[in-house]
Amino acid sequence: MRIVVTGGAGFIGANFVHTLLNDHPEVDVNVLDSFTYAANESSLTDITPEQAKRLTITRGDVADMEIVDEVVRDADAVVHFAAESHNDNSITGPAPFIQTNLIGTFTLLEAVRKYGTRFHHVSTDEVYGDLELDDPAKFTPTTPYNPSSPYSASKAGSDMLVRAWMRTYGIPATISNCSNNYGPYQHIEKFIPRMITNRLVGIRPRLYGEGANVRDWIHVLDHNEAVWEILQRGTIGDTYLIGADGEASNKEVVHMLNEIMGHPQDDYDHVADRAGHDLRYAIDATKLHEELGWYPSFTSFREGLEETVRWYTEHEDWWKGEKERVEAKYAQKGH
Ligand code: NAD
Ligand code: TDX
């Protein structure tokens, strides 16, 4: 089986490529990635010579029709991770989000329509907007779309394109909307790796606003296992929500990280809040449990965080070069 993984040099995509190479020897992988600032070449180098024979890396833009046509023509399936993915960047500069998330997804859809290729679209729970802290309801596949940021609006738009191509052209596709991921290879602009690497270089963690915002954390390997199950056994045309019941406020996460890293719980600074900051996300993954029997294997968020702290501590070479640039950008925003 030949699988194209778009965005395979980014956080979730690179973890997915490792899973394919490690656990699915029948699969050959073609990574289609334009290597933006969010990609890291060394995320894909830690593989055996045998695995290297099954991996092709194609440097190209998902919005480039010619290159997309070329890679999709030879593929049995496309798993589409490539995106501009950081909310804060979408607030300061939305243009690349529209280009990659909308035009890029459109370009891929046209190619899979032409070749009849199986397509899986990786999306986010942020398309549903946010919940009140005390709302007993969680997001389900029938929750109305209500995105808040340029990022989540562009992802919502990309989901709509996939839905329209499924209904109108009957392309064999599925969609998943997942909650916040954490784990190895995540870019240090994102909350958890930023807080961990801040501690490692001697900067206090930075909480936006009061830190009351809640995210529903899932380990990246659990997300990817669910994507694999949907790709294999999901119902064509359906949407699946992926989550691991991992709700925690940002303040609780920083407390835990401080404890794990040997600092007093309240050793952090409050900084300016994010514009339009979503309050809470929460996923109801019942459909995945009942239809595909998928359950997360990382059941302790604290243990997952401990492992993630270890990974960043042991892989300074992977992130150190980016730290100054990322922090300079945050400093400009008062973050
Ligand atoms: P990331 O920013 O770490 O990686 C994105 C990758 O896409 C990078 O390698 C980048 O070079 C590549 N890319 C960007 N623009 C491209 C283009 N025009 N052409 C080709 N490649 C391009 O993102 P991530 O956190 O790994 O997220 C992957 C996907 O999962 C995204 O679609 C995101 O919306 C979705 N998602 C992420 C999370 C999360 O918590 N990180 C949660 C739910 C869903
Ligand atoms: O320094 C920080 N301090 C802070 O308090 C940063 C970087 C973030 N935060 C807060 C903002 C959010 O409430 O932490 C929370 C998580 O922030 P991010 O890591 O930027 O993630 P979020 O905006 O929730 O979006 C993430 O999850 C859904 C991914 O970046 C998206 O790609 C995914 O769709």
Side-chain angles (χ1 to χ4, degrees), residues 85 87 124 126 151 191 194 206 208 215 250 274 277:
S85 72
N87 274 300
T124 171
E126 298 194 15
Y151 162 68
F191 180 50
R194 181 179 183 215
R206 302 282 152 89
Y208 293 176
R215 296 294 181 263
N250 294 338
R274 173 184 283 172
H277 199 173

Side-chain angles (χ1 to χ4, degrees), residues 8-10 14-15 18 35 38-47 55 57 59 185 311 315-322:
N15 278 286
H18 283 291
F35 286 82
N40 191 325
E41 306 238 6
S42 58
S43 301
L44 294 173
T45 48
D46 191 15
I47 56 175
L55 174 65
I57 296 179
R59 283 176 175 269
Y185 302 113
W311 192 87
H315 292 81
E316 205 179 279
D317 285 355
W318 185 86
W319 56 266
K320 199 65 187 274
E322 272 281 277

Side-chain angles (χ1 to χ4, degrees), residues 6 24 39 49 78 91 125-126 132 154 159 172 177 182 186-187 193 202 220 240 253 285 296 302:
T6 74
H24 302 285
V78 175
I91 295 165
D125 60 357
E126 298 194 15
E132 291 301 324
S154 68
D159 293 11
N177 297 84
Y182 72 98
Q186 185 168 29
H187 195 279
V220 62
Y240 293 84
V253 173
R302 182 169 176 118

Side-chain angles (χ1 to χ4, degrees), residues 220-327:
V220 62
L221 296 181
D222 280 331
H223 176 185
N224 283 339
E225 201 48 45
V227 167
W228 175 256
E229 291 303 325
I230 296 165
L231 186 66
Q232 296 305 306
R233 300 187 290 117
T235 305
I236 296 299
D238 270 16
T239 290
Y240 293 84
L241 268 56
I242 309 173
D245 295 320
E247 283 187 68
S249 72
N250 294 338
K251 198 187 253 183
E252 285 168 332
V253 173
V254 166
H255 283 179
M256 259 189 266
L257 285 173
N258 274 338
E259 250 175 51
I260 292 168
M261 299 184 80
H263 288 259
Q265 273 198 346
D266 58 358
D267 186 25
Y268 56 80
D269 294 319
H270 289 284
V271 295
D273 206 352
R274 173 184 283 172
H277 199 173
D278 278 340
L279 187 52
R280 172 176 164 240
Y281 308 133
I283 287 274
D284 177 348
T286 306
K287 178 172 170 177
L288 258 187
H289 304 324
E290 289 182 351
E291 249 187 56
L292 301 182
W294 172 91
Y295 285 89
S297 5
F298 287 78
T299 47
S300 159
F301 180 43
R302 182 169 176 118
E303 281 170 26
L305 276 184
E306 284 169 1
E307 187 204 80
T308 305
V309 168
R310 257 195 312 279
W311 192 87
Y312 282 91
T313 309
E314 288 165 6
H315 292 81
E316 205 179 279
D317 285 355
W318 185 86
W319 56 266
K320 199 65 187 274
E322 272 281 277
K323 189 66 184 166
E324 216 173 296
R325 187 192 68 78
V326 169
E327 288 309 311

Side-chain angles (χ1 to χ4, degrees), residues 160-210:
M160 292 304 170
L161 292 175
V162 181
R163 287 180 183 207
W165 261 243
M166 292 193 292
R167 173 153 172 176
T168 304
Y169 303 114
I171 62 160
T174 40
I175 299 174
S176 56
N177 297 84
C178 188
S179 58
N180 283 60
N181 285 220
Y182 72 98
Y185 302 113
Q186 185 168 29
H187 195 279
I188 55 167
E189 69 189 350
K190 301 286 169 64
F191 180 50
I192 288 179
R194 181 179 183 215
M195 299 304 106
I196 296 172
T197 54
N198 270 11
R199 285 258 75 113
L200 291 173
V201 300
I203 307 172
R204 280 154 67 97
R206 302 282 152 89
L207 264 186
Y208 293 176
E210 288 306 307

Side-chain angles (χ1 to χ4, degrees), residues 10-12 33-34 36 61-62 81 85 100 123 151 155 179 181:
F11 164 45
I12 307 177
D33 199 300
S34 61
T36 68
D61 191 327
V62 289
F81 291 96
S85 72
T100 289
S123 192
Y151 162 68
K155 291 297 291 188
S179 58
N181 285 220

